[in-house]
């Protein structure tokens, strides 16, 4: 066991504070990773504040992890000390159900183990995530990072990147397709970049007029202010696919009406309160589909990282110190993040040393 500095929250209404955790000694299949950067996902906030009613405390969030390998178990094949690696939202799964066998561990029928808030055999009972100095992970859940620079900006690919890449691929984003991305936050800005790189015609829907120029810079061909019914009406019945990343409950019909026959809208946002039910007629009249998607499997996450390295895609980030995490959460709630906070983990290590 190694004692490791971290930031944890002890209850839904408490801020994140310095907290020491234990990491297991690497087993034969494990990779020990010194964490250099960790992205801040809205799911971290939902979890820290128990908005999904399933948080185990103390909670150490963080599932957009990039770091350096410091040790490997004796049976590890794919990684060596000094490698730059990533860890996303999962650290384990059953490995034998149909989904795991298909490489879709994110849909493990026995439930995957989340990087944080997941069940663990270790004494503390729940996994601790990337707001910490290091982590020990089975090599099956460790990703290769081939980007040569901007490592901090690679971190958000491990959740925001794969969560948007997977449905865009599944629903065939590419040349000749009109694709909508709803919400320009951490997930949304990756959705815009990825759909653009896949060759689709990309339309960004935002509630924030000050994000229009950024939306175009990031790769949107058109930007629609979703609060303006006249702008929305112009796109009625025209989309092949809409990826909805909004983190709050809202009217889904406003977007379903924009799908063409056989079009689909996929929800990836996971708000605390449910959306009002959409109108059934909006679906049946054009055989439209409303779907959901959860992160992506390990094989597809590696594919996404390699795609991004090839196309020079990283996240647009604002680097923060670990101690600024509570302010960052408040700003995220105001949609005031351009477009992902990433924690420089050296600040945590320095803080722990000074304490
Ligand atoms: P984020 O950075 O906070 O972005 C969410 C965006 O949604 C905001 O920037 C804003 O964009 C828009 N928005 C926020 N409140 C809104 C409201 N009341 N009405 C309309 N639009 C609103 O969050 P994120 O990290 O991208 O995460 C988004 C959601 O996805 C969260 O619920 C998160 O838990 C979930 N998530 C799901 C998965 C999955 O596997 N399915 C994975 C990761 C995260 P504009 O300013 O452009 O309107
Ligand atoms: Zn996430």
């Amino acid at each position: 066991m190694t004692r490791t500095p971290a930031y944890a929250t002890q209850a839904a209404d408490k801020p994140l504070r310095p907290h020491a955790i234990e990491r297991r000694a690497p087993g034969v299949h494990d990779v020990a990773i010194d964490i250099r950067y960790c992205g801040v996902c809205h799911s971290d906030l939902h979890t820290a504040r128990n908005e999904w009613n399933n948080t185990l405390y103390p909670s150490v969030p963080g599932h957009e992890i990039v770091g350096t390998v410091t040790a490997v178990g004796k049976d590890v094949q794919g990684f060596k000390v000094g490698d730059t690696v990533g860890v996303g939202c999962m650290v384990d799964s059953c490995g034998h159900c149909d989904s795991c066998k298909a490489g879709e561990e994110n849909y493990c029928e026995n439930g995957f183990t989340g990087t944080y808030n997941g069940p663990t055999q270790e004494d503390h009972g729940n996994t601790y995530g990337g707001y910490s100095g290091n982590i020990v992970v089975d090599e099956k859940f460790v990703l290769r990072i081939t980007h040569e620079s901007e490592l901090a900006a690679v971190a958000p690919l491990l959740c925001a990147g794969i969560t948007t890449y997977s449905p865009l691929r599944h629903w065939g984003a590419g040349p000749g397709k009109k694709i909508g991305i709803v919400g320009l936050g951490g997930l949304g800005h990756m959705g815009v970049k990825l759909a653009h790189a896949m060759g689709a015609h990309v339309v960004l829907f935002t509630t924030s007029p000050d994000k229009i120029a950024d939306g175009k810079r990031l790769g949107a061909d058109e930007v629609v202010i979703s609060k303006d019914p006249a702008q929305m009406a112009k796109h009625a019945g025209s989309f092949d696919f809409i990826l909805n990343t909004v983190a709050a409950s809202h009217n889904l019909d406003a977007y379903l009406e924009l799908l063409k026959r056989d079009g689909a809208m996929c929800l990836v946002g996971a708000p605390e309160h449910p959306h009002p039910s959409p109108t059934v007629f909006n679906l049946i009249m054009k055989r439209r589909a409303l779907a959901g998607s959860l992160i992506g499997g390990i094989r597809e996450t590696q594919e996404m990282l390699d795609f991004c390295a090839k196309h020079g895609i990283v996240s647009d980030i604002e680097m923060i110190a670990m101690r600024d995490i509570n302010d960052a959460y408040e700003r995220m709630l105001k949609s005031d993040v351009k477009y992902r906070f990433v924690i420089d983990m050296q600040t945590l290590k320095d803080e722990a040393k000074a304490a």
Side-chain angles (χ1 to χ4, degrees):
M1 298 286 243
T2 324
R3 211 160 167 75
T4 301
Y7 258 54
T9 179
Q10 305 287 345
D13 58 352
K14 295 279 190 300
L16 287 127
R17 290 264 179 259
H19 178 76
I21 58 170
E22 301 283 348
R23 292 297 190 192
R24 67 174 184 259
V28 292
H29 300 293
D30 283 339
V31 176
I33 301 161
D34 176 60
I35 301 177
R36 293 173 62 189
Y37 302 104
C38 185
V40 179
C41 180
H42 207 115
S43 301
D44 301 355
L45 187 160
H46 290 307
T47 301
R49 300 187 178 179
N50 196 24
E51 291 180 355
W52 296 330
N53 288 313
N54 67 351
T55 306
L56 303 161
Y57 293 100
S59 175
V60 178
H63 58 203
E64 294 183 336
I65 297 169
V66 167
T68 307
V69 175
T70 55
V72 294
K74 78 173 176 46
D75 292 343
V76 168
Q77 307 269 321
F79 301 95
K80 59 180 191 320
V81 171
D83 285 355
T84 303
V85 294
V87 177
C89 305
M90 303 180 283
V91 290
D92 207 356
S93 71
C94 84
H96 54 73
C97 71
D98 286 350
S99 295
C100 285
K101 279 198 249 166
E104 309 254 34
E105 304 87 351
N106 47 323
Y107 301 116
C108 173
E109 277 129 61
N110 296 301
F112 68 79
T113 304
T115 302
Y116 59 80
N117 208 48
T120 171
Q121 305 305 314
E122 294 164 57
D123 290 346
H124 42 80
N126 64 304
T127 51
Y128 296 140
Y131 297 2
S132 59
N134 57 61
I135 191 165
V136 178
V137 180
D138 186 302
E139 75 162 322
K140 288 202 285 289
F141 289 83
V142 178
L143 286 308
R144 282 185 310 281
I145 305 285
T146 54
H147 286 77
E148 282 169 7
S149 60
E150 299 187 277
L151 280 184
V154 171
L157 303 182
L158 275 306
C159 174
I162 184 59
T163 301
T164 49
Y165 182 91
S166 182
L168 286 169
R169 280 284 189 234
H170 185 79
W171 275 279
K177 295 286 174 69
K178 183 173 174 182
I179 305 288
I181 305 287
V182 189
L184 196 66
L187 268 55
H189 95 290
M190 288 314 307
V192 169
K193 288 187 185 208
L194 290 167
H196 174 73
M198 290 171 189
H201 181 87
V202 183
V203 181
L204 167 69
F205 295 93
T206 178
T207 59
S208 309
D210 64 320
K211 293 182 184 172
I212 294 175
D214 276 348
K216 293 197 170 149
R217 175 178 60 78
L218 294 165
D221 297 285
E222 300 175 63
V223 180
V224 172
I225 301 301
S226 53
K227 290 175 184 158
D228 178 350
Q231 287 191 41
M232 295 290 278
K234 281 192 196 148
H235 292 271
S238 68
F239 281 87
D240 295 285
F241 179 62
I242 297 177
L243 181 62
N244 187 328
T245 75
V246 173
S249 110
H250 61 283
N251 171 21
L252 301 179
D253 281 317
Y255 297 101
L256 291 170
E257 286 164 4
L258 308 187
L259 295 171
K260 58 162 79 151
R261 172 174 53 79
D262 287 329
M265 175 157 79
C266 173
L267 305 178
V268 287
E272 176 182 12
H273 303 294
H275 300 294
S277 173
T279 312
V280 172
F281 277 94
N282 248 339
L283 297 171
I284 62 180
M285 295 309 280
K286 287 191 186 290
R287 198 165 52 190
R288 292 161 169 147
L290 178 61
S293 181
L294 178 72
I295 49 175
I298 292 298
R299 187 174 57 216
E300 194 172 39
T301 305
Q302 189 64 59
E303 178 189 306
M304 176 277 308
L305 285 167
D306 296 345
F307 177 90
C308 288
K310 183 170 156 213
H311 291 267
I313 296 174
V314 292
S315 183
D316 281 31
I317 65 163
E318 181 178 335
M319 193 96 88
I320 60 167
M322 187 71 253
R323 79 184 86 82
D324 296 330
I325 187 66
N326 296 298
D327 293 339
Y329 279 7
E330 290 312 312
R331 284 185 51 197
M332 187 150 66
L333 285 174
K334 290 186 224 144
S335 299
D336 175 24
V337 42
K338 289 185 173 162
Y339 282 88
R340 197 59 139 185
F341 293 117
V342 172
I343 308 161
D344 178 355
M345 277 307 155
Q346 191 57 45
T347 63
L348 171 66
K349 293 164 200 166
D350 292 345
E351 192 184 307
K353 232 179 267 164

